[in-house]
Every structure is written in structure tokens, then in C-alpha cells.
Amino acid sequence: MLAASLSLFMVACSDSFFELSPRDRISDATVWTDPSVADLVLNEIYGYLPPYRSAGWWSESWTDNCINVQTWQGQAEVVRSGAMSPSNSLGTAKRYDGVNDWSWDSNFSIIRKCNVFIKNVSESTALTDDYKKNRIAEARFLRAWYYTTVFKYFGATPIIEEPLDINTQGDEIFRPRASAQETADFIARDCQDAADALPLTPSEWGRPAKGAALALKGYILLLAARPLNNPDNDKALWAKAAAAYKQVIDLGVYQLTDYYHGLFLEENELNSEVIFPYPIRYPLAYEDPDIRFLEDLFGPAYALCEPLGWINYSIVESSVTQDLIDAYRMKDGKTIAESPLYDPEHPYENREPRFYESVIYDGAPFRDGYIYTRKGDPHNAVDGSRSTWVTCTGYYIRKTYDERINGLLERPKGIKNLADWPLIRYADVLLGYAEAQNEAAGPDASALDAINRIRQRKDVAIPTVQEAYGTVTREQLHDIILNERRIELAFEDKRYTDITSLKLGHKLQGYVRGCEPQEDLSTGKMTYGYFNVVPQYYDVTNDKNYRLPIPQWIIDRNPNLQQNSGYTQ
């Protein structure tokens, strides 16, 4: 018998194909003859996709972009302290985090569900050919997604395309890991097979279309071409990634929206930039006490809320680092080190528009007032002790946040920013193409065009690369692209994988930095006290920490698995 009742993630999506009445227990024979019941199985697999908007314990807080506000938020503390080991693997907590990205066993459990679905739907004599074509393609895309998730955190994986059963296969189920390139090629084939069968536009919002499968193919090939998996810098691998991304661009289906912040607001969720979304439809907070703080776990801690004045506004999970603040460009398109517009006595003036859309800094407008993180402020002054929900760096995250909502006052009433999360968006594709094409062929017109489309988005435009820098070398464009990627995709849970796959471990060594502004009350002059929040011990000796350790209990069960470099029991 197959338990077919669905979890929270599946039944809560009230306006999408996820809304199917669960059946308590259904026989295997019935599942693979009735398309509506088979869909329940596939919907369960969709339900494991990561709702990053709700991810308080997300991998971005392990990076130089932001830091977890309180020390008990375990994964980030483990990573930053260099304490990762096969016996100290990273866990997840339902109450705060629906993301299973860094769980080896959870992902392979979902991959097995994909294999069961593909096998049984393929062998069914009752399901129509059209149903088989579309749903198997979706299952292949989802299998590729979860394999990519394992790959980006752990590296090479065993390649398993069929359901394994220890009762009939015995030790045969304990497969060794393929090489990194073999794993990436397998995932890319799944993506291409899915793309060949999927429609140009999604049959329903939340299902993948051709562009989603091709974009995922581009991403896995990009990871395979980066230094961690391509130590000899084989240009052919970069060219494969660029070609995959070019397939998406050539579809002519997607374009950047004119409203950068609007990508993360509910009224704008059905837009031309979103290639593959995660539909957000959680139940009200009071319906499940274990799911309390779902959408928008960012800042500020206190804000003006009508009609009560200053109140506790948000449960703040992450604070923006000074390093990310410094990475934002000036409005002339240059860095703070390059631009004559940068004034260290007025560090938040003349910054690029995405800075103001993404970050709350001292003196930033918010709702009907301003947020002050300066020393002595009664509401949001820096808490370097990391013992409260107030910022520990002097900054809050604005991007993805709908400040029209009265924060914690209205969340228990179900009034939240329920915008679907863009798991893949067109900006990802343009940035991936620019990076891969530049590495494969140098700063040609197509690579420059891709990055300039990002820089020229209508509402947050800055000068093109050529306008800011003139003619650039491959190395110069490489640095520009990676900085653009960091800024454009900030707080979308992409930074950690970028650091590891590009072998930028030095970014996670030294200290997390913050800023405590202070006003001289007699003159009104501001000074900015930059300080070290916490040390970081990110050991990359023998490439350790560039990949997570496979949990020891997994290694013990499968002696054919080889542990990642640098880790010992």
C-alpha cells in the first residue's frame, strides 16, 4: 500500500496545480492507472523544493554576504567556526527551515521517489502517452534538480536511475561515486531529455517548461566548468555551459522585468523573468505552532507600524555584512575604490540603485519613517553581542521584503508577502552565460551584452561595462561578472555555492565586519566605526570545506562511498 496523503508543502498551494485532494491510502495498482492519483506522487516530489523565502537557516548566512543574527542558529556557526566533520554534519529544523539542500540522505530519498515515479509511469499500460511524456519530463527535471543540489554541496555522486531495493538487490544498491564530470554530464542529459519533451511555456504555473530544464542544464555545466571541478581550466567545459545558457536565451521567451524589487512582491509574481518558481502558500501561523515565522525573516527589528508607533516589526534571521555593502557599485558603475563619487564620510550616498532596493542602512527610509542603527538609537542600534533580534552588523535586508505589511502585527492574521520565490530567473541565465562565455572565448560582444542587460535594467540602471571601463580584458570582465552576480543575486541563496565552486575560500577567512555609526550631537557629524563581529575559520587545505562532508553514518552504510577531501572521522 502507498501512503498518498500529502505534506504541508503540497496541499497548501491553493491557487496552483498542487491543490489535489489527498487520499489516505491507495493501492499501488491504482496509483499507476489513475493520472490524478499519480499526480499526487509527483506533487509530493515538487513539495520538497526549497522555499528560500522561509529559510532562516539558509546557506547565504554562511557567507560574506550576511550573518545569522543569533549564535544558536546552528549551521552557520558550524561552517564559520570550521567545525564541519563527518560526525558534525549540518541539520535542518522544521520550525525555521523548509530547506533540505545540505542533507545527503534527504536528497537521495527524493531522488528515489523520482525513480519510482519514472519507472512506474513508463511501464503503465493505463496512462496515456501524452500524460507519460509530460509528467516523466517533469520528473526528470526534478531528479536533475535534486542531483544538482547534492552536487553543489557534496560534489560527485553515485548515479542511480532506477529504484533500488536492498531486499532484492542486496549489496548491489551500494554504488560508488561517479567522477564530478560524469555526474554533471548525467544531470545535463536529464535536463536535455526533459527540455526535449516539455512545452515552451508551462502547462500550469509552478511546473517547469523547456526553459527551466535548459537553465538548470546551464547551471550544472557552469558548476562543472568552475575551478573546483575543472582544475585544469578546460575551455571546452566553459563552452558547453555557455552553449546551454544560449539555448535559453535563444528561446526568446524570457526578459528582465523593469522593477527589480517587484520580483519579490506578490502582485508581480507572474512575470517574464521567472523561469521556475516555488509557489508560496503556507497556512496561517496560528494553524501550526511549529511553523511560526515563514515569509520574510529579515529586518528591521523595530519599525513604525500604524497606529502603534515603534514596535517589534520582524524576527531578524540575518544581518548584511560590511563586505557586501562595500561590494555594491557607485551610480557611475564603478567600485568604491575606483569611483570619485565615493565619500567615506557619506558612505551611503551615490550608490547604485540596487543598494537602496536591497539594504537597510543607518538613515534609510522605511515605511513612514527612517531606520537608525547608530549608537544610542533606542530601537535598532547595533547589538554586537548577537543576543537579540537586532542587527549585529549595522544593516538589515530590504530585498524581498514587503514593507507595506505591518510585520509581526499582521503575520498571525495571515497577512504576509506570499510572492512565489523565483528558484530560477532570467538574470541567473544572463549572468551564467556571461561568465561561461567570457571564460571560453574572452570578453566578446555576446558576453558584454549579457552583463550589460543586467546593469541596464530599467529601474536600477548603471552604466554599461564599456561606459564605465572602456575596453576590458578577460580578467577584468571576470571580476566584473562575479561582482554583478554577487549583487544581483544577493539574498537568493546563491553565494555559498559561488564561493565554493569558484574556490574563493579566502572570502570566508578573517572576520565578518560590521559598522556602528555614531552622531556627534553637538555638530551633527557622523562617524562610522567599522568593527569585527566574529572570526571565521574556513579551512581550505586540500580543498576541505569546499565540499560538505558526507555524514559518517552514510559512509558506514555504504563502504563504496569515498569521503570528500580533507575530512577524517
Side-chain angles (χ1 to χ4, degrees):
M1 300 289 285
L2 175 70
S5 59
L6 299 184
S7 72
L8 160 70
F9 298 142
M10 285 136 267
V11 299
C13 301
S14 60
D15 68 345
S16 75
F17 67 88
F18 287 133
E19 186 173 307
L20 288 171
S21 300
R23 330 271 176 101
D24 286 337
R25 297 191 69 80
I26 302 170
S27 69
D28 284 342
T30 302
V31 170
W32 311 116
T33 60
D34 183 340
S36 66
V37 182
D39 274 352
L40 292 175
V41 179
L42 188 60
N43 289 357
E44 181 182 3
I45 297 168
Y46 275 104
Y48 293 109
L49 290 168
Y52 287 120
R53 180 184 294 281
S54 71
W57 293 5
W58 56 348
S59 73
E60 188 118 0
S61 67
W62 310 350
T63 75
D64 53 351
N65 276 3
C66 57
I67 179 174
N68 51 302
V69 172
Q70 297 197 39
T71 58
W72 56 264
Q73 295 164 320
Q75 291 96 325
E77 296 300 295
V78 170
V79 174
R80 289 188 186 280
S81 66
M84 288 190 291
S85 75
S87 298
N88 189 20
S89 55
L90 306 178
T92 59
K94 174 188 175 186
R95 180 176 174 186
Y96 301 98
D97 194 350
V99 179
N100 291 307
D101 276 10
W102 44 84
S103 173
W104 175 283
D105 52 309
S106 292
N107 278 293
F108 271 101
S109 174
I110 303 165
I111 288 167
R112 187 181 192 282
K113 294 176 188 291
C114 294
N115 289 337
V116 168
F117 183 88
I118 292 169
K119 178 180 185 296
N120 284 283
V121 169
S122 299
E123 294 176 354
S124 172
T125 58
L127 297 171
T128 67
D129 289 342
D130 281 346
Y131 179 89
K132 290 182 178 182
K133 175 186 175 184
N134 293 323
R135 294 296 189 261
I136 290 173
E138 292 176 35
R140 287 188 183 280
F141 168 82
L142 291 168
R143 183 170 70 181
W145 178 280
Y146 295 113
Y147 261 114
T148 299
T149 300
V150 180
F151 184 85
K152 71 183 186 180
Y153 285 104
F154 295 95
T157 75
I159 295 175
I160 304 169
E161 300 182 71
E162 73 282 355
L164 300 180
D165 185 347
I166 194 170
N167 294 317
T168 59
Q169 296 173 277
D171 289 346
E172 183 189 340
I173 71 169
F174 298 122
R175 306 285 176 83
R177 301 167 77 176
S179 71
Q181 294 303 327
E182 288 170 341
T183 303
D185 286 343
F186 162 69
I187 297 169
R189 287 195 301 273
D190 248 3
C191 290
Q192 187 62 58
D193 288 345
D196 290 342
L198 288 169
L200 190 61
T201 57
S203 58
E204 295 171 276
W205 183 249
R207 296 190 190 276
K210 187 182 298 291
L214 294 176
L216 184 59
K217 176 185 176 184
Y219 184 58
I220 189 61
L221 293 177
L222 181 71
L223 294 180
R226 283 174 168 176
L228 183 61
N229 298 302
N230 182 18
D232 297 326
N233 196 26
D234 183 348
K235 298 293 185 182
L237 296 180
W238 289 107
K240 283 173 62 176
Y245 279 125
K246 187 68 161 52
Q247 287 181 283
V248 185
I249 296 170
D250 288 346
L251 292 177
V253 173
Y254 308 104
Q255 60 184 9
L256 300 178
T257 67
D258 291 338
Y259 185 17
Y260 180 65
H261 190 77
L263 278 167
F264 303 93
L265 299 180
E266 190 171 358
E267 62 265 31
N268 300 317
E269 63 188 8
L270 301 172
N271 64 71
S272 60
E273 185 166 344
V274 175
I275 295 177
F276 185 57
Y278 181 92
I280 299 286
R281 290 295 180 273
Y282 285 110
L284 305 184
Y286 56 77
E287 291 181 350
D288 187 341
D290 286 333
I291 308 293
R292 296 195 304 165
F293 313 127
L294 290 170
E295 296 78 29
D296 291 333
L297 297 174
F298 306 124
Y302 290 86
L304 282 170
C305 292
E306 298 297 337
L308 302 178
W310 285 91
I311 69 157
N312 187 205
Y313 185 79
S314 176
I315 299 299
V316 183
E317 294 283 355
S318 297
S319 292
V320 183
T321 66
Q322 185 63 46
D323 286 336
L324 179 59
I325 297 298
D326 292 347
Y328 279 94
R329 302 272 168 166
M330 303 302 291
K331 67 181 183 181
D332 62 3
K334 297 182 178 181
T335 68
I336 62 172
E338 298 164 337
S339 174
L341 298 177
Y342 181 69
D343 179 359
E345 294 188 0
H346 302 91
Y348 311 131
E349 294 182 1
N350 296 315
R351 305 302 287 268
E352 63 159 292
R354 284 176 300 185
F355 174 80
Y356 303 106
E357 296 283 2
S358 302
V359 176
I360 297 172
Y361 52 91
D362 180 78
F366 189 84
R367 295 181 60 82
D368 296 325
Y370 296 87
I371 300 297
Y372 295 103
T373 62
R374 63 192 58 176
K375 190 172 183 177
D377 184 82
H379 306 296
N380 292 293
V382 176
D383 177 15
S385 71
R386 302 172 70 203
S387 61
T388 68
W389 294 114
V390 175
T391 176
C392 62
T393 64
Y395 305 101
Y396 294 106
I397 298 172
R398 183 192 294 272
K399 182 181 173 182
T400 81
Y401 210 88
D402 188 346
E403 63 191 70
R404 298 169 298 183
I405 298 171
N406 270 328
L408 294 179
L409 281 178
E410 295 185 341
R411 281 185 199 149
K413 304 173 187 176
I415 302 173
K416 308 174 184 179
N417 179 9
L418 297 176
D420 296 344
W421 187 267
L423 291 172
I424 305 174
R425 59 186 179 95
Y426 192 48
D428 300 13
V429 170
L430 293 174
L431 288 161
Y433 175 77
E435 180 186 345
Q437 182 66 11
N438 182 54
E439 297 299 326
D444 67 8
S446 66
L448 287 164
D449 176 68
I451 200 65
N452 285 333
R453 290 199 216 178
I454 302 291
R455 291 171 72 100
Q456 291 281 282
R457 186 192 295 268
K458 185 175 180 180
D459 69 312
V460 290
I462 58 174
T464 66
V465 171
Q466 297 94 316
E467 290 168 342
Y469 294 102
T471 302
V472 293
T473 64
R474 186 200 66 78
E475 291 76 15
Q476 287 174 309
L477 188 58
H478 168 85
D479 291 342
I480 291 168
I481 290 168
L482 295 189
N483 192 79
E484 281 297 323
R485 183 175 181 87
R486 182 180 186 184
I487 297 305
E488 175 70 22
L489 302 178
F491 319 128
E492 297 182 44
D493 220 53
K494 304 292 175 67
R495 180 64 176 169
Y496 183 73
T497 303
D498 286 348
I499 286 174
T500 56
S501 62
L502 290 162
K503 299 186 72 170
L504 301 176
H506 62 281
K507 299 284 189 180
L508 301 183
Q509 296 169 345
Y511 289 87
V512 176
R513 297 190 303 131
C515 177
E516 185 175 45
Q518 185 168 1
E519 181 182 14
D520 186 325
L521 297 180
S522 63
T523 64
K525 180 179 175 61
M526 293 295 300
T527 56
Y528 297 89
Y530 299 102
F531 67 99
N532 295 329
V533 183
V534 294
Q536 301 183 111
Y537 306 97
Y538 198 75
D539 182 7
V540 295
T541 306
N542 297 322
D543 285 349
K544 181 183 180 182
N545 289 350
Y546 282 138
R547 298 184 177 96
L548 298 184
I550 300 173
Q552 188 61 41
W553 71 270
I554 298 288
I555 297 287
D556 291 342
R557 289 183 62 183
N558 181 359
N560 293 320
L561 286 180
Q562 183 177 1
Q563 182 60 268
N564 280 325
S565 177
Y567 294 105
T568 57
Q569 171 60 27

